[in-house]
C-alpha cells in the first residue's frame, strides 16, 4: 500500500474462497484499499456485503470474526472471489482499474464443481457475466454492496434475495441428507 491508502500499481487481489461443495459463487470486482490492507473480503466498515449475506443465511455475520464469517458462508455453500485477480488501480474506485487480469473459470470449476449460480456484486463485476454464463453457469447481476453505491441497504437486500433459491435449496438438500 502506498502512503495515504492508495493501492500501488500492480496490486494482487485476495485468495479465492472456494469450498468444494459450494453452489453459489459471489464475484466482486477487485478488493478496495481497506480490504487489501486487512486481507479480508468486504473489510470496509460501511460495505453492506456482510449485513446482506447475514440476512440471506439468517446468521449474525457482521458480529463474527472474519474467519468465522467465511466458515459460515462456506457452510451455506457460498464461495467468494473477484472477477479481477490483479490490476493497476489508484485508490478503491473501479473506474480507475487498468490492466486487469481476470479470474479463471476453469480454476473455479476444478475447486468447486457443484457451483450452480454465479452472482456479480455490482456493475464492474457484472461485465464478466457473459464469460461465466457461456461456461454454463446460471448468472445474476446484483447491486453493489459498496458504500460508494448509495442504494439503501433494504433495497440492496431485496435484490440480493434472488440468491435465496440456491441458498435455501442447498439448505433443504443438506437437511434431507443429514
Amino acid at each position: 500500500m502506498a502512503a495515504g491508502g492508495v493501492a500501488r500499481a500492480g496490486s494482487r487481489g485476495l485468495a479465492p474462497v472456494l469450498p468444494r461443495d459450494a453452489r453459489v459463487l459471489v464475484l466482486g470486482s477487485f478488493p478496495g484499499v481497506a480490504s487489501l490492507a486487512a486481507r479480508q473480503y468486504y473489510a470496509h466498515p460501511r460495505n453492506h456485503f456482510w449485513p446482506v449475506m447475514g440476512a440471506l443465511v439468517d446468521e449474525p455475520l457482521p458480529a463474527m470474526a472474519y474467519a468465522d464469517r467465511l466458515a459460515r458462508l462456506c457452510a451455506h455453500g457460498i464461495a467468494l472471489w473477484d472477477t479481477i485477480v490483479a490490476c493497476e488501480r489508484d485508490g478503491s474506485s473501479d473506474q480507475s482499474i487498468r490492466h486487469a487480469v481476470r479470474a479463471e473459470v476453469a480454476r473455479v470449476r476444478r475447486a468447486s464443481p457443484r457451483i450452480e449460480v454465479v452472482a456479480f456484486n455490482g456493475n464492474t463485476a457484472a461485465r464478466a457475466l457473459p464469460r461465466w454464463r457461456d461456461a454454463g453457469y446460471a448468472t445474476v447481476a446484483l447491486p453493489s454492496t459498496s458504500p460508494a453505491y448509495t442504494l439503501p441497504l433494504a433495497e440492496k437486500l431485496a435484490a440480493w434475495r434472488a440468491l435465496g433459491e440456491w441458498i435455501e435449496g442447498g439448505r433443504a438438500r443438506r437437511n434431507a441428507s443429514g
Side-chain angles (χ1 to χ4, degrees):
M1 238 14 94
V6 174
R8 288 193 185 273
S11 294
R12 292 213 52 85
L14 303 175
V17 178
L18 297 170
R20 185 116 184 109
D21 61 349
R23 292 166 318 285
V24 176
L25 172 60
V26 177
L27 291 173
S29 55
F30 188 76
V33 171
S35 292
L36 290 172
R39 303 302 302 160
Q40 297 179 2
Y41 283 98
Y42 305 103
H44 192 288
R46 290 191 340 253
N47 192 298
H48 287 148
F49 180 79
W50 294 111
V52 165
M53 294 309 293
L56 292 180
V57 301
D58 196 27
E59 296 211 31
L61 297 179
M64 295 178 184
Y66 180 69
D68 296 331
R69 292 175 186 182
L70 291 183
R72 295 313 305 150
L73 282 188
C74 291
H76 287 281
I78 301 168
L80 290 178
W81 204 12
D82 289 304
T83 59
I84 299 168
V85 298
C87 68
E88 293 179 11
R89 178 174 73 184
D90 294 328
S92 293
S93 173
D94 284 350
Q95 283 71 30
S96 66
I97 291 173
R98 296 175 313 282
H99 307 292
V101 176
R102 303 286 173 187
E104 298 175 33
V105 175
R107 180 174 179 182
V108 170
R109 196 175 305 280
R110 282 190 309 271
S112 300
R114 293 185 178 98
I115 288 177
E116 299 169 13
V117 63
V118 179
F120 299 88
N121 187 353
N123 289 334
T124 300
R127 290 184 195 137
L129 187 148
R131 282 184 45 233
W132 294 84
R133 183 191 56 226
D134 293 349
Y137 293 104
T139 55
V140 59
L142 298 166
S144 175
T145 60
S146 168
Y149 187 62
T150 59
L151 190 69
L153 174 58
E155 292 180 40
K156 290 179 184 181
L157 178 57
W160 278 72
R161 289 204 185 277
L163 295 179
E165 71 179 87
W166 288 280
I167 295 169
E168 292 299 324
R171 190 177 300 144
R173 284 191 291 275
R174 279 192 309 280
N175 290 341
S177 66

